[in-house]
């Protein structure tokens, strides 16, 4: 798709440029007096959490934002493979795939050895993330991602919409009530920002609060949580521009280093014309802030021209620009429970930029913030609905704070590499080492940058490591790495990972053994019989009376045999559901020569296995097909009947 030819216009890219207009400001609606979950902030973390919770009709959610309306442009642009997978869990990946610039190549530019005042391309390489997911790393306006999440919220069963123009003035947590899960221990006081009602104050009582309100988070400060780490010591400029240029790699992500003038990281944007430039600026003095620099968009353009010499750069329009600092910090806690209080259930959380700050290169903030609340959302829903023990909420900090430190370490290294520039006393060969180091870093960190290798440590939510060899391509703790299989009922190839929707359900994938599932002695047949009929079956134990059999735990089967017919298989695998008892034909798959997930994911063909997948798509456990008791014990450890 192409757009922005005659100037940048925010909004829905499915609407032609000439007709696209920003949405009108939303009306002011009074805040509710009492809610289950209060979300403060409409960034990617807040909207991803709201999008999840919006699908639960019995959970009262309120999301509040200080700004006057939805984001229109600027800020992050990179959409990692993992974020694409999460958007697929919301049934929303197709628009992003269609609209985004897809990153397939990286180019590296250095001082020309024969004329060091000019730059020269050294080489291009395929992006290291290709093949890590069925999705490709994309680049699109963060506002567009927000729009898609907002649209999903508005069309959900709860029709959830944000309350804009509210500034959080005070947040109080009543410590005497936090361990009474029926209570509303959170009191949040908001002040309206709009000109006509600026003095009006509103109070909301909540059972839980999640601060997604950015690096200067009022929620975090109210909870007495500090950010710890390095202060900023380097300034960069960033701008989204519509350029006319003879630079040959204007549509390729490029790392450009000059001899004396610094570096530029160039990122093509969606639509075929828009480009983002990260421009290296000077070191900051002690206690100096980037906002104190007297710089303007024209200064960034002039700097970029110097760095990109001998190529011309004529900027026709600046859609957005900013000056930012490079500093890396992580919150000392991600919830309101003090250190050493493992028995306390948290009631207040921070997520996204409220708990980790870093440079904006590569969209790492967005691509770490959104998974923060994708991790937290299903846990809040399970506890609020009484399906899981509240200790589930204690795992959010343990799992996501580790990822924040990984992000900070990677960002610190990447920022230093991209900012490395040859000094006046160096020759061009010293720059070559630097750009080579960037390439090595990208290759080494490709799984982390893509978000696909991020895993959670062994715990009661991630078990069965002694059986990892049964499915070596599904590392326990990491996300379920999708692969295709063919649906038995209609022969359609399906990405199995796309079965893992953001609906709060657990998934059990049964990968069959060498014996046919029609053989009563096979491990597959015995497991199906246990899940369908045994009193200790987690499916039977935790499915409410009268609910569909897959309403809590969804069981899907993948078989090696290629001559199966759906009508020959047990009813449990194509169950009757809903008020009419309609059959679900979309739970049974088989391999083909072209789509052999057993080979692709290292699944033991002789023994088969069970792969348990959490509601956030991460692998919870791998077990042998005959480990019926172990499977029950896993779910008994945290689920409530």
């Amino acid at each position: 798709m192409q757009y922005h030819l005659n100037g940048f216009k925010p909004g829905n890219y499915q609407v032609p440029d000439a007709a696209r207009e920003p949405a009108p400001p939303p009306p002011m609606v009074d805040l509710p007096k009492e809610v289950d979950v209060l979300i403060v902030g409409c960034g990617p973390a807040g909207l991803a959490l709201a999008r999840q919770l919006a699908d639960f009709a019995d959970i009262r959610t309120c999301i509040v934002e200080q700004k006057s309306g939805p984001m229109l442009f600027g800020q992050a642009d990179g959409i990692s493979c993992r974020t694409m997978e999460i958007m697929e869990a919301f049934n929303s990946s197709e628009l992003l795939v269609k609209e985004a610039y897809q990153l397939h190549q990286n180019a590296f530019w250095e001082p020309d050895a024969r004329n060091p005042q000019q730059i020269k391309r050294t080489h291009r390489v395929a992006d290291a993330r290709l093949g890590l997911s069925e999705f490709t790393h994309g680049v699109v306006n963060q506002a567009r991602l927000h729009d898609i999440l907002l649209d999903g919220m508005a069309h959900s069963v709860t029709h959830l919409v944000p309350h804009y123009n509210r500034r959080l003035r005070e947040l109080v947590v009543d410590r005497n009530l936090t361990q009474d899960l029926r209570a509303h221990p959170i009191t949040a006081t908001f002040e309206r920002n709009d000109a006509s009602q600026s003095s009006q104050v509103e109070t909301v009582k909540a059972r839980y609060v999640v601060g997604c309100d950015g690096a200067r988070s009022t929620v975090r400060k109210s909870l007495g949580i500090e950010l710890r780490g390095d202060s900023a010591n380097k300034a960069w400029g960033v701008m989204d521009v519509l350029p006319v240029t003879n630079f040959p790699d204007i549509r390729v992500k490029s790392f450009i280093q000059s001899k004396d003038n610094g570096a530029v990281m160039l990122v093509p944007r969606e639509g075929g014309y828009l480009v983002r430039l990260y421009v290296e600026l000077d070191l900051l003095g002690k206690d100096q802030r980037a906002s104190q620099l007297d710089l303007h968009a024209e200064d960034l353009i002039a700097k970029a021209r110097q760095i990109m010499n001998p190529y011309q750069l004529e900027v026709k329009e600046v859609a957005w620009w900013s000056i930012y600092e490079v500093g890396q910090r992580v919150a000392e806690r991600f919830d309101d429970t003090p250190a050493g209080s493992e028995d306390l259930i948290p009631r207040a959380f921070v997520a996204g930029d409220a708990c980790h700050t870093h440079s904006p290169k590569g969209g790492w903030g967005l691509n770490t913030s959104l998974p923060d609340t994708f991790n937290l959302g299903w846990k809040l829903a399970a506890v609020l609905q009484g399906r899981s023990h509240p200790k589930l909420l204690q795992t959010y900090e343990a799992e996501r704070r580790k990822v924040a430190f990984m992000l900070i370490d990677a960002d610190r290294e990447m920022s230093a590499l991209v900012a490395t520039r040859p000094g006046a006393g160096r020759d061009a060969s010293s720059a070559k080492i630097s750009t080579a180091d960037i390439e090595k870093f990208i290759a080494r960190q490709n799984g982390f940058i893509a978000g696909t290798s991020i895993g959670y440590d062994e715990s009661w939510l991630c078990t069965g490591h002694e059986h990892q060899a049964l499915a070596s391509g599904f590392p326990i703790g990491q996300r379920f790495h999708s692969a295709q299989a063919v649906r038995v009922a209609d022969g359609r190839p399906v990405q199995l990972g796309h079965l893992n929707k953001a609906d709060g359900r657990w998934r059990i994938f049964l990968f069959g053994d060498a014996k046919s599932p029609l053989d009563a002695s096979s491990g597959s047949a015995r497991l199906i019989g246990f899940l369908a009929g045994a009193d200790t079956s987690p499916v039977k134990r935790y499915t409410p009376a009268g609910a569909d059999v897959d309403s809590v735990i969804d069981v899907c089967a993948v078989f090696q045999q290629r001559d199966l017919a759906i009508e020959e298989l047990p009813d449990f695998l194509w169950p009757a559901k809903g008020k009419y008892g309609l059959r679900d034909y979309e739970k049974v798959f088989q391999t083909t020569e072209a789509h052999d997930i057993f080979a692709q994911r290292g699944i033991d063909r002789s023994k088969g296995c069970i792969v348990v997948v959490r509601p956030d798509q991460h692998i919870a456990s791998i077990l042998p097909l005959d480990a019926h008791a172990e499977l029950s014990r896993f779910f008994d450890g945290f689920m409530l009947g």
Side-chain angles (χ1 to χ4, degrees), residues 19 75 118 225 244 263 266 329 488 578:
Q75 297 191 27
Q118 298 183 358
I225 299 173
V244 173
L266 183 154
R329 298 184 182 185
V488 169

Side-chain angles (χ1 to χ4, degrees), residues 71-253:
M71 174 188 285
L72 295 179
F73 46 77
Q75 297 191 27
D77 58 358
I79 310 295
S80 74
C81 305
R82 178 64 188 132
T83 298
M84 286 286 196
E85 293 174 359
I86 293 173
M87 293 302 289
E88 170 58 32
F90 294 131
N91 291 313
S92 300
S93 66
E94 289 86 354
L95 277 180
L96 286 174
V97 170
K98 184 178 181 181
E99 295 177 1
Y101 169 85
Q102 294 190 12
L103 204 165
H104 287 267
Q105 289 185 327
N106 293 305
F108 297 87
W109 291 73
E110 301 168 354
D112 187 339
R114 287 182 287 188
N115 186 356
Q117 297 306 315
Q118 298 183 358
I119 58 171
K120 179 181 179 180
R121 183 203 295 131
T122 62
H123 62 294
R124 285 185 183 182
V125 296
D127 190 75
R129 290 161 288 195
L130 294 174
L132 295 179
S133 169
E134 71 274 23
F135 294 105
T136 303
H137 186 99
V139 181
V140 72
N141 192 343
Q142 178 178 328
R144 189 68 183 118
L145 180 80
H146 287 198
D147 288 343
I148 294 171
L149 292 170
L150 287 164
D151 187 65
M153 291 161 51
H155 290 94
S156 69
V157 65
T158 57
H159 305 294
L160 180 62
V161 294
H163 294 267
Y164 294 102
N165 267 319
R166 263 66 169 213
R167 181 181 68 85
L168 178 61
R169 196 165 75 176
E170 185 180 40
L171 182 79
V172 177
V173 181
D174 188 337
R175 299 297 171 191
N176 295 319
L177 297 177
T178 57
Q179 301 312 294
D180 178 0
L181 299 186
R182 298 166 299 177
H184 293 69
I186 314 295
T187 302
T189 304
F190 293 92
E191 187 175 68
R192 291 194 175 188
N193 284 338
D194 62 314
S196 61
Q197 304 180 76
S198 58
S199 62
Q200 184 168 338
V201 172
E202 298 168 285
T203 300
V204 179
K205 291 275 193 177
R207 293 172 72 181
Y208 298 93
V209 64
V210 186
C212 306
D213 48 341
R216 296 178 176 85
S217 169
T218 302
V219 173
R220 186 191 67 238
K221 294 173 183 175
S222 298
L223 298 175
I225 299 173
E226 294 184 6
L227 282 177
R228 294 178 177 174
D230 299 331
S231 59
N233 61 1
K234 184 75 177 177
W236 285 73
V238 57
M239 55 183 175
D240 292 329
V241 299
L242 292 169
V244 173
T245 180
N246 61 349
F247 181 70
D249 284 339
I250 196 67
R251 298 308 300 168
V252 179
K253 183 176 181 179

Side-chain angles (χ1 to χ4, degrees), residues 532-574:
D535 290 339
T536 56
S537 161
V539 175
K540 287 199 67 177
R541 178 173 291 179
Y542 298 113
T543 301
D548 289 337
V549 67
D550 61 356
S551 61
V552 177
I553 301 173
D554 185 16
V555 179
C556 300
V558 187
F559 299 115
Q560 304 174 58
Q561 293 74 25
R562 298 173 181 176
D563 57 353
L564 300 173
I566 190 72
E567 72 274 10
E568 297 174 342
L569 294 167
D571 287 357
F572 181 76
L573 294 181
W574 51 302

Side-chain angles (χ1 to χ4, degrees), residues 58-78:
D58 54 345
I59 295 177
R60 295 167 299 168
T61 303
C62 175
I63 180 168
V64 184
E65 167 60 45
Q66 182 169 329
K67 296 185 178 70
S68 60
M71 174 188 285
L72 295 179
F73 46 77
Q75 297 191 27
D77 58 358

Side-chain angles (χ1 to χ4, degrees), residues 16 27 71 118 294-295 326 433 556:
M71 174 188 285
Q118 298 183 358
D294 186 20
L295 293 174
V326 177
I433 297 172
C556 300

Side-chain angles (χ1 to χ4, degrees), residues 13 18 118 133 152 171 224 247 310 335 402 418 425 479 482 496 499 505 513-514 579 621 633:
Y13 293 152
Q118 298 183 358
S133 169
L171 182 79
F247 181 70
D335 63 40
K402 169 196 170 185
V418 174
R479 105 301 189 197
S482 184
L496 292 180
L499 303 177
R505 291 189 294 170
D513 54 338
K579 68 177 183 179
S621 189
R633 281 198 295 271

Side-chain angles (χ1 to χ4, degrees), residues 285-305:
K286 186 179 179 176
D287 298 326
Q288 187 180 20
R289 301 299 302 270
S291 58
Q292 298 172 312
L293 300 176
D294 186 20
L295 293 174
H296 306 278
E298 293 76 14
D299 300 311
L300 301 185
I301 296 168
K303 185 76 166 175
R305 284 178 180 148

